[in-house]
Each structure stands twice: as structure tokens, then as C-alpha cells.
Amino acid sequence: LEHLDVSRCAGDAEFDESIRAVAHSCPQLRHLNVSRNGGITDATICSVGLSCRQLRHLDVTNDNITAAAIGTVAESCPHLAHLYFAFVEGVSDASLLTVARKCPTLTYLSVCGAGDGVTDTGICAVAHHCRSLRGLNTSGCSAVTDASVIEVVRQCPD
């Protein structure tokens, strides 16, 4: 199995365990969407990152997941090209710096809903490390200004 989309499923503890089992059984998984599943935990997202190191696309848009799990995935999956972690708890510039340094081939990033946790500093780090970036969603990031958007355009012209 290389592609799994279980977004918007009625998640519970059993569902969370099943995603963890998929991660262990399918190390070749390249695309996973578990967005808007209330039952998905940090432990499962960490398990996905540690087991599926060829992951290229991950959508964990979910307010049950924390920035710590995103850090584990970034550390373990350097080939990530699409990363959606909107409405993830505790997202900060430090989170973005980890993602930027560990996932230089990132082409799309969504951090919407991060409030004031993400600032120009984090967005500029992404711009400097992820030169192939083609899409960025920072809606709901109240501390992101035109300055970092201009830097993204300057650093990532494609």
C-alpha cells in the first residue's frame, strides 16, 4: 500500500490502532491523509513517521495532534514534499525550523490556524531551506506579515 486517505472518518482508539498497524505493515507508504479524525494521536503520527520513511505527502490537519509529532515526522521523513498540519497544537517557529531543515524538498506547506505561534521568522526559515516550495497556506497565522511572504517569493520563485 502506497496511498491511504482516511480523512473525515469517525476516529476512535481502535481506528488509531489500525492506522498504527498500517504504518508498521506498509513501510512503503508514500501518501497518508488522516485529517479531521478525532481519534488519531501523536503516538500514531510518530509511528507513521518512524515506520514510513519514504512518506512524501502527509495531511494531519487536526487539533488533536501536537507540534512534537510533526517534529518526529520531519526528522524521520526527509522526502516529504506536501505537509499539511493546519490547526495542530503548539505549532511555532521552532516547528517550522525543524521541518525546513529536515525536509528541504518540501513543495507545499499548510500551517493555517497557527495563530501567533508562527511568525515571519518561521516562514523565512522555510523560504531559505525549501527552495522548491510552490505553495504555502498561512491563513489564520496572525503574526505572519508581508515581509515573510515577500521573502518566500524571492527565495522560491517557482
Side-chain angles (χ1 to χ4, degrees):
L1 183 68
E2 290 185 6
H3 184 110
L4 180 62
D5 185 333
V6 290
S7 58
R8 299 178 187 255
C9 293
D12 57 14
E14 189 174 309
F15 178 77
D16 187 58
E17 266 307 310
S18 68
I19 298 301
R20 200 174 304 176
V22 166
H24 289 295
S25 300
C26 303
Q28 70 280 13
L29 194 66
R30 293 177 186 266
H31 180 113
L32 179 63
N33 184 343
V34 292
S35 64
R36 295 180 174 40
N37 280 303
I40 297 294
T41 63
D42 272 6
T44 293
I45 298 305
C46 290
S47 181
V48 166
L50 294 170
S51 299
C52 306
R53 294 181 181 267
Q54 296 305 309
L55 204 60
R56 304 250 192 279
H57 179 111
L58 179 63
D59 187 340
V60 293
T61 298
N62 194 327
D63 56 9
N64 289 345
I65 304 302
T66 68
I70 299 303
T72 298
V73 170
E75 294 274 348
S76 304
C77 303
H79 305 293
L80 272 175
H82 293 87
L83 181 57
Y84 303 76
F85 60 106
F87 306 104
V88 166
E89 182 182 321
V91 173
S92 65
D93 289 338
S95 310
L96 288 186
L97 185 57
T98 299
V99 168
R101 285 183 175 160
K102 298 297 180 177
C103 305
T105 59
L106 207 61
T107 57
Y108 187 86
L109 176 65
S110 175
V111 293
C112 70
D116 61 0
V118 170
T119 71
D120 288 343
T121 301
I123 299 303
C124 287
V126 171
H128 288 270
H129 291 281
C130 305
R131 298 290 179 100
S132 298
L133 196 70
R134 293 184 178 187
L136 177 65
N137 184 347
T138 60
S139 60
C141 296
S142 57
V144 172
T145 70
D146 293 349
S148 62
V149 174
I150 290 168
E151 188 65 12
V152 169
V153 171
R154 197 171 71 74
Q155 296 291 328
C156 310
D158 290 336

